Amino acid sequence: MLQNVHDETVERNEAEPYEAVADKVRSLGSRLRLSESTFPVHNLLPMLEKYGFEHQRNVAPANWVIDLFSDLQVPYETLFDTLEAIFYANDVPFLGVNRNVIASDLIEVVSRWLNDTIRGGGIIFDSEQGAVRADQMLRALIQEGSRAGMDDGMMRMSRLVRERIAQLLQ
């Protein structure tokens, strides 16, 4: 499906292919009401990340895949769990420094999740366990550093979010 939408969009030269793919996924997600059986995020998110890496790198904005799933109101925990699994799987194309794409999306999801739960007045990351998991993932990203393609900005953001989590958990 992704390749067909991509190819048709390139042929017609109407929009950027990632925009057409995002629109198609957004439409399906809305129609299927994010049902796990008919709209399995744990399968679709890795497919879109791979598509973005292989076909839209340096074309699509950073974090466009996360923006898409956020628009569909996919829970942060689902996004986090799926991205974490992709990061640790070390599957093609997300090997070595190419893991920076997933690392960037993980940092973005953790940051948004933290901000939204603070804004909502609830427990950060919806539970103390969620906060601990998010903090552990950020710590792992920092430890991986350049081996995972982390640049200075990603490292700085990871540290800032970790500091904020620590302050809020005190």
Side-chain angles (χ1 to χ4, degrees):
M1 172 194 81
L2 296 179
Q3 194 62 50
N4 290 343
V5 172
H6 175 91
D7 292 345
E8 289 171 10
T9 305
V10 169
E11 236 176 70
R12 289 190 309 261
N13 197 26
E14 293 175 349
E16 292 292 346
Y18 81 90
E19 293 171 330
V21 167
D23 287 345
K24 183 69 164 182
V25 172
R26 192 176 291 110
S27 172
L28 288 170
S30 295
R31 277 196 323 225
L32 300 173
R33 301 198 195 286
L34 299 180
S35 166
E36 183 58 34
S37 61
T38 57
F39 193 84
V41 172
H42 66 278
N43 291 335
L44 293 171
L45 180 58
M47 286 172 44
L48 286 166
E49 290 285 3
K50 184 176 180 183
Y51 164 77
F53 182 83
E54 292 176 344
H55 298 285
Q56 298 300 295
R57 195 171 6 158
N58 302 322
V59 175
N63 310 114
W64 72 274
V65 175
I66 298 309
D67 292 340
L68 168 62
F69 284 101
S70 291
D71 289 349
L72 289 168
Q73 298 180 353
V74 172
Y76 289 116
E77 187 171 12
T78 302
L79 298 175
F80 178 86
D81 291 345
T82 306
L83 289 167
E84 182 182 44
I86 297 168
F87 185 82
Y88 286 124
N90 277 323
D91 288 336
V92 173
F94 303 113
L95 299 165
V97 297
N98 290 345
R99 292 187 299 161
N100 69 332
V101 173
I102 305 304
S104 175
D105 281 350
L106 273 163
I107 295 164
E108 184 68 20
V109 165
V110 168
S111 181
R112 289 183 191 186
W113 193 5
L114 175 61
N115 290 334
D116 283 0
T117 53
I118 288 171
R119 192 175 312 119
I123 300 168
I124 62 168
F125 299 102
D126 303 315
S127 70
E128 189 173 330
Q129 180 186 8
V132 169
R133 288 187 60 223
D135 183 65
Q136 288 173 340
M137 185 71 240
L138 291 172
R139 186 173 350 131
L141 292 176
I142 292 167
Q143 287 173 343
E144 286 290 315
S146 61
R147 289 186 307 270
M150 299 273 289
D151 63 24
D152 290 340
M154 293 168 70
M155 295 290 282
R156 186 173 36 261
M157 181 59 83
S158 296
R159 287 186 184 105
L160 287 171
V161 175
R162 282 198 74 217
E163 288 171 14
R164 199 157 176 217
I165 292 168
Q167 290 170 349
L168 292 167
L169 286 177
Q170 290 179 353

